[in-house]
Amino acid sequence: MWLEQPSSGSEEEVRAKMFNARLLLDGYAQVMTVAPNVKYAGMFVKFQREAREQGKGLWGAAPVPAPGGGAGKQASGTHYIGNARSKIFHLPTCEWAQKIAPQNRVEFGSREEALSAGYRPCRVCRP
């Protein structure tokens, strides 16, 4: 959503004039890309990464452990499974991770790696 009419669509202009970019840069949103709206996807991932590295907004909050370890607890040596098509990542035990087609399957060594790559957590397994 543009706050002002764009003239070039440059990164500087996107940072200054696009509401979506402001939310990401301030740490109040996560990247979610839905085709065919992918024109700024690369920039959005970059902006999210910057906010995470600077501990802005949501990224500055301390994680709250789930009671009793919870479903989101990761066992040592496990990894996360991402879907390149939906840009969602899962625990390996999640029913939705099991349904990912081999050509769309992406493995991540950590939650941070998946988030940095622009993936969002599954709402079922909550990795």
Side-chain angles (χ1 to χ4, degrees), residues 30-33 41 44-46 48-49 52 83 86-89 108 112-121:
Q30 287 185 314
V31 173
M32 181 177 156
T33 305
F44 289 169
V45 170
K46 179 180 179 181
Q48 177 177 297
R49 187 176 301 120
R52 283 178 46 87
N83 184 327
S86 68
K87 294 291 189 186
I88 298 172
F89 70 97
F108 297 104
E112 291 71 29
E113 182 183 350
L115 291 169
S116 292
Y119 286 68
R120 73 169 177 80

Side-chain angles (χ1 to χ4, degrees), residues 79-85 87-90 97 100-109 113-114 117 119:
H79 55 279
Y80 297 92
I81 308 298
N83 184 327
R85 189 167 187 171
K87 294 291 189 186
I88 298 172
F89 70 97
H90 312 266
I100 299 172
Q103 67 269 20
N104 294 327
R105 191 177 183 89
V106 180
E107 294 191 11
F108 297 104
E113 182 183 350
Y119 286 68

